[in-house]
């Protein structure tokens, strides 16, 4: 793990990616998610040139190989808490920290634990062909927020949509926020969803992922290059399942 407090590092210049053509309709929460008091904090659409859906499927199960290439200078920590090859995709979890600007406090303190969630948590009424849902919970087990990524192949690359969804009914903040406030009660905590962080991350996939995927393509050990298929199908008005998981 690199030194997390190394915050005086510039991120790389980047050009925001083009949007899919035609663009997709804006995401809206399904009634089940609305009843739970969830809200959409942010959403964005991207076209990823030269990236295939299979590459992104592989990326989510092999993040340790490219996490610091995904947002150079911003991503500060990555480690698996429960590895996908050992615990299975739904039971896997990782811990991260990241900053959202040179000199900014590291968001996540010593680490945010992010859980892989099954599609019972998927909060929208439509999806692209591939989906991942990841969530954060507080110290008393309440859902805090989630990040949803969706993608599918299109001509010359793939289309990608991401959204941040949060609960409005928490009894207490997540542990990493309490930790940050204990260290600095006056800390102004800026979540990555309130910045251009997702644009920076998306812009990097075409830069490194095709090459990284190719390097591991023929690796013989599935515990070291973990296969993954995140295609989904709809089973009800607001119900989904993974086809091959």
């Amino acid at each position: 793990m690199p030194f997390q407090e190394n915050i005086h590092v510039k991120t790389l210049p980047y050009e925001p990616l083009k949007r899919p053509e035609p663009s997709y309709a804006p995401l809206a929460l399904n009634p089940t998610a609305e009843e739970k008091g969830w809200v959409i904090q942010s959403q964005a659409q991207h076209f990823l040139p030269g990236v295939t859906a299979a590459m992104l499927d592989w990326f989510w199960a092999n993040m340790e190989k490219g996490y610091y290439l995904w947002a150079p200078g911003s991503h500060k920590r990555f480690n698996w808490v429960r590895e996908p090859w050992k615990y299975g995709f739904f039971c896997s979890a990782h811990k991260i920290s990241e900053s959202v600007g040179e000199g900014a406090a590291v968001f996540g303190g010593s680490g945010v634990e992010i859980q892989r969630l099954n599609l019972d948590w998927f909060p929208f009424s439509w999806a692209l062909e591939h989906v991942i849902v990841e969530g954060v919970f507080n110290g008393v087990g309440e859902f805090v927020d989630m990040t949803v990524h969706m993608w599918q192949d299109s001509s010359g690359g793939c289309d990608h949509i991401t959204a941040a969804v949060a609960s409005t009914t928490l009894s207490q903040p997540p542990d990493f926020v309490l930790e940050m406030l204990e260290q600095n009660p006056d800390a102004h905590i800026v979540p990555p969803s309130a910045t251009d962080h997702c644009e920076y991350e998306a812009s990097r996939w075409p830069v490194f992922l095709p090459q990284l995927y190719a390097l591991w393509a023929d690796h013989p050990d599935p515990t070291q290059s973990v296969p993954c298929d995140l295609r989904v199908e709809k089973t009800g008005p607001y119900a989904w399942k993974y086809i091959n998981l």
Side-chain angles (χ1 to χ4, degrees), residues 52-220:
T52 66
M55 291 176 190
L56 283 174
D57 283 11
W58 176 86
F59 173 79
W60 297 114
N62 296 272
M63 290 176 68
E64 78 284 353
K65 301 174 180 66
Y67 189 72
Y68 303 115
L69 297 173
W70 191 20
S74 176
H75 284 176
K76 300 299 185 185
R77 168 191 178 147
F78 179 91
N79 67 280
W80 290 111
V81 177
R82 295 186 298 275
E83 302 92 333
W85 68 265
K86 186 174 182 178
Y87 294 91
F89 195 79
F90 295 133
C91 294
S92 66
H94 57 281
K95 188 170 282 192
I96 65 161
S97 293
E98 54 197 22
S99 65
V100 293
E102 184 183 5
V106 175
F107 183 80
S110 60
V112 183
E113 185 166 311
I114 299 177
Q115 310 288 331
R116 294 279 165 76
L117 305 178
N118 64 41
L119 292 176
D120 292 343
W121 291 85
F122 185 71
F124 307 116
S125 57
W126 63 271
L128 300 184
E129 293 175 0
H130 302 243
V131 172
I132 185 173
V133 185
E134 298 186 316
V136 175
F137 296 81
N138 65 14
V140 294
E142 295 172 325
F143 165 72
V144 176
D145 58 29
M146 69 171 67
T147 302
V148 178
H149 292 269
M150 305 187 286
W151 60 97
Q152 64 187 26
D153 286 322
S154 61
S155 179
C158 71
D159 295 337
H160 167 258
I161 298 174
T162 186
V165 175
S167 171
T168 61
T169 61
L170 294 178
S171 64
Q172 67 180 51
D175 290 349
F176 75 89
V177 171
L178 296 175
E179 174 193 338
M180 294 177 73
L181 292 174
E182 181 179 356
Q183 294 175 351
N184 179 6
D186 299 321
H188 178 55
I189 300 174
V190 180
S193 62
T195 72
D196 67 343
H197 188 73
C198 82
E199 297 296 333
Y200 185 39
E201 286 181 330
S203 77
R204 293 290 303 173
W205 272 323
V207 175
F208 78 88
L209 187 53
Q211 296 93 321
L212 186 66
Y213 182 78
L215 286 172
W216 286 89
D218 298 321
H219 194 78

